[in-house]
Amino acid sequence: MPIVRDIKKCDSKKTIIIDIGEKNELKISKRVKTPTVEIVHEEEQKPSSPGGFAGFWAFGLAAFLVVFVFNMMNIGSQLFGVASDVEANAFQGVYSFVEGGKDAIDSNYGSAIGNFESASSAFDKAKKDLWFLGGQVNLGVKEDIGGSALAILEAGKYLSGGASDFSQGISGMQEIPILFLERNALKNVEVSGESLTEKLKSSLELFDSALVDVVEAKKLLGNASSSILPAKFRENYDTVTKRLDDLVVVLNELKERVPAIMNMLGDRYPHRYMVLFQNNTESRPTGGFIGSFLIVDVNDGYITKADFHDVYDFDGQLNEHIPAPEEISELTTNWRLRDSNYSPDFEVSAKKAMWFLEKEGGPGVDTVIAINQSLLADLLAITGPIEIEGLDAPLSSTNYNTVLTYIVESKLEGETTPKKVLDRVIPAMQEKLTDEALFKNILAVIQKEVKHKNILAYSKNIHTQKFFEEVGVSGKITQTPADEDYFTLNAINIGGNKSDLYMNTSIIHETFIQKDGTVSDVASIKREHTWNPNVILTWRDQLNPFGYSDLPDWLQNILGRGNNKSVMKVFVPAGSELTDVIGIEKDQVTVGFDELLNKTYFYFTVEVAPQSESQITLTYALPFKLDLGTADEYRLTVQKQPGAIRDVRFTKRINSDPRVVNFRTYPEEIIYTEGDVIQYETTLIEDQHFASLWGS
C-alpha cells in the first residue's frame, strides 16, 4: 500500500492511501482536481504554528463559547434570577476579547491590551455571579453541568489574561528594533540608556505568564463537557481545545527565540558582525559582487563600533596564492574575500568570508549579514532624496546606482580610494533612517527584502542560526528527500560589468512521467539582454545634475551596455543524469556534484549581447521512480537565486503517459494546455513548492 504526503505541505509526514475506489472510478479526466482517493494520516502530525497572530482567534473562539453555556444549564430557579446578568457579562467578555484580537492582528497592542483586560474582568464578573454553584458542583467531573459552566468561564478569564500578557510581550519585542534604530545612529555610538536586553527579558517573563494561563485554560476546558452546548457549537469547542496545543507551541517558540535575539544584541558578551555589501547588478551566487563591508560591534543593544572597509584594502594584504573554484576561475585565478560568496548556500559562503577575513588580517566575527545594493532603492523611496556632502545633487531611488557606479568606476575620489564617497553615503543614510516617523515603513521594507532574499544572515551561535532559519533569512539550500525533484538556477556574472540590471530570465521546467514511473525533466533557460541606446539618454539625465557629462564607451560598457557573460549553474537532485543539451554543445556543459549541498549540478557559460537573447535546454533523467501501482506523489522544490534584480518568469509543466492519471495538483491555480498538460506560471520572487498525486 503506497505511502504519500499531503501535497500542500512540503514538510508533511507520510500518509497511507487506503482506498482509490473501484477500477472504473479511475477513468477520470486529468482535469479532475478532487480525486476518488481517501487519505488518512499514518501518525498524528505535530501542531503547526498559527501564522502571525492567528492564534488570537483561537483564544477568541474559546471565549465565544462561553455565551452559549447558559442556554443548556438546568440547575434550578436560582440560575434564572442571575442568568441575564451572567450572559451580559459573558457577551461583554467575548466582545472585548474579539476586539482585542483584531487590535493585535493590526499590531495595535496598546488597544489590544486594554480590550483583553476588559474581557478578563467581564469573565471574572460572570463567574462571580455564579458563586452559589460553589457547593453544588465538581469541576473535575465532566458530566456536571454547573461545573462545566464555571470551568468554561474560568478558562475564558485565563485566556484573556494570557492574551493580555502575550500582547504586552509582543509589544515590547516590537519596540526593540525601533529603539535599536533610534539609538544607534553611527554618529552617536557613545549613547547610553535603557538596556534593550533587559527589555527583552521582560517580554520573556510575560510569555512565561501567558504560557501558564494557556495551559491552565486548556486543563479547565478539558474538565468541561461540550454536551452542555448546542450541537452546532460542540465541534467548535473541540477545535478550540486542539488549537490551544498550537498556542502552547507558539509561546514556546517565542521563548526559544528570545535567547537568539539577546545574543544578537550583545547581552552577555559583545557581538561582532561582518556586513557584506553586495552589488547585485553584477550577480553572484548569494546576490552580488562584494565590493565593501562593515565591521560592527554591538554591546547590550548599542553599536559601539562601526568601521567601513573597501574589500580590496583587505584582499591586497594577502600574498598567498589560493586557487579559485572552477566555476569562478574566469573571474580570478587567485581566490580572495571579494569572491568568497561562491556557493548558493549562504552558510557555506559566509563561513568562507569569515575565513578570508581572518586570513587577510581582519578580526574574527560572530555573524555575517549580506545586503544587496538594490535594497537602497526601497530605502531611498521611503526617506526621499538624500543630500551628500561633496555632491552637487541629492541621491534618489532612481539615480543612486548610476551615480555611485560612475563615481567609483571613474575613480573621481582618488585612484586608491575610489569608494571614498560611501564613507559619506552610509552615515547620511543612517541619519535619515533614524527618523522615528519612518520606522514602520523601514521595517516593512526589511521584511519584504528578507522574503525576496536581498538580506541573508549566518551566525556561529547555534541559537541565532536556528532563529535565522526559522525567519527565512538563512539563505540555505533546501535538503530535499531522495525521491523529490529540485531545481535552482544560479547566474554568476564573469564579464566584469553591471549588465545584470538589464537581463531578463525565463525558465520552463517540464517533467515527463512514464507508465513505469520513470521521471525526467527538461529545463529551458532563456536569457534576454534588454539594454538599448535609449538607456544612454537616461544615464545622462541622471548624471548631468551632478556635473558629470563625460560618458566614454568603456564606462558605458561597465554600466550595462556590454555583453553579459555569465556562468549558469543549475542544481538538480543528486544522481541526476544529463542526457541531452540544445543551444550549446553537450561537451560545453560540465556535470559535477556538490558534496556540501548534496546536489548534482550542470554548469556552462552563456554570453548575450545587448538586444539579443540566448536559450539553453537541458534534458536529464531523475534518480527516482514513482510507484504508480496505486498512487504516488511527484514533488518539486524551486529556489530563487538571492539578489535577482529583474523578475524571473517560471513555468512548470507536467506531461504524463496517457495511462497515468493525475488525481490532485498543488498549487491548484493550474491550467491545462492541449493534450491535458498541466501548467502553472509564476514570477519567481520567492522559493516555490509544487506537488501532484498520480496513479495508473
Side-chain angles (χ1 to χ4, degrees), residues 368-615:
V368 178
I369 298 175
I371 300 175
N372 284 315
Q373 180 178 292
S374 56
L375 171 64
L376 283 177
D378 286 338
L379 293 177
L380 284 167
I382 292 172
T383 64
I386 294 179
E387 300 283 348
I388 305 296
E389 181 185 351
L391 299 186
D392 293 344
L395 288 180
S396 69
S397 59
T398 56
N399 69 21
Y400 80 93
N401 180 67
T402 303
V403 173
L404 292 180
T405 302
Y406 185 97
I407 292 171
V408 171
E409 297 297 338
S410 299
K411 295 182 170 53
L412 297 183
E413 302 218 352
E415 190 72 26
T416 59
T417 57
K419 297 173 185 172
K420 188 177 179 181
V421 63
L422 298 181
D423 290 340
R424 306 192 302 280
V425 171
I426 292 175
M429 281 289 297
Q430 182 75 23
E431 185 173 358
K432 278 278 192 177
L433 294 175
T434 53
D435 181 348
E436 187 174 354
L438 303 178
F439 286 166
K440 279 192 175 182
N441 290 336
I442 293 169
L443 293 177
V445 164
I446 291 173
Q447 288 175 334
K448 184 193 81 171
E449 296 299 339
V450 165
K451 185 177 181 181
H452 293 178
K453 294 189 176 183
N454 281 318
I455 301 175
L456 304 174
Y458 164 75
S459 180
K460 291 179 179 177
N461 181 278
I462 57 173
H463 297 294
T464 303
Q465 179 60 14
K466 183 182 178 184
F467 171 73
F468 289 158
E469 292 171 5
E470 289 173 347
V471 300
V473 76
S474 67
K476 290 182 70 67
I477 290 294
T478 300
Q479 294 301 310
T480 48
D483 60 350
E484 291 188 11
D485 202 354
Y486 176 88
F487 182 89
T488 190
L489 171 66
N490 240 238
I492 308 170
N493 186 327
I494 60 174
N497 60 28
K498 319 300 179 186
S499 56
D500 284 297
L501 188 60
Y502 303 99
M503 296 301 298
N504 284 340
T505 303
S506 60
I507 301 165
I508 298 176
H509 188 277
E510 197 159 8
T511 297
F512 293 83
I513 301 174
Q514 304 301 329
K515 178 66 171 65
D516 64 355
T518 301
V519 186
S520 60
D521 285 343
V522 177
S524 296
I525 302 162
K526 184 165 76 172
R527 300 268 286 173
E528 180 187 8
H529 197 324
T530 66
W531 188 95
N532 64 79
N534 290 331
V535 174
I536 297 176
L537 300 177
T538 301
W539 288 343
R540 292 197 181 280
D541 287 342
Q542 293 170 338
L543 294 170
N544 285 339
F546 294 83
Y548 306 142
S549 57
D550 188 22
L551 198 56
D553 285 347
W554 66 268
L555 187 51
Q556 290 184 32
N557 288 337
I558 289 177
L559 284 169
R561 188 186 71 173
N563 290 358
N564 180 274
K565 186 177 182 182
S566 296
V567 168
M568 312 301 291
K569 197 168 184 180
V570 179
F571 289 87
V572 295
S576 298
E577 295 184 10
L578 184 68
T579 58
D580 191 30
V581 179
I582 299 174
I584 55 175
E585 296 298 322
K586 188 176 179 182
D587 60 9
Q588 292 180 281
V589 179
T590 300
V591 180
F593 180 73
D594 192 314
E595 294 183 358
L596 292 176
L597 306 185
N598 191 35
K599 295 282 189 283
T600 292
Y601 62 81
F602 313 129
Y603 87 82
F604 49 91
T605 301
V606 175
E607 186 166 359
V608 186
Q611 297 180 273
S612 65
E613 62 183 40
S614 172
Q615 181 165 317

Side-chain angles (χ1 to χ4, degrees), residues 301-344:
Y302 292 91
I303 295 175
T304 57
K305 177 183 179 182
D307 293 336
F308 175 81
H309 301 281
D310 186 326
V311 71
Y312 288 99
D313 291 341
F314 273 74
D315 283 352
Q317 303 299 313
L318 186 60
N319 296 317
E320 178 182 346
H321 176 72
I322 302 174
E326 184 177 4
E327 57 268 35
I328 63 170
S329 59
E330 287 192 55
L331 280 172
T332 179
T333 56
N334 205 5
W335 203 7
R336 292 293 185 267
L337 173 59
R338 63 183 177 271
D339 296 313
S340 59
N341 55 349
Y342 74 108
S343 171

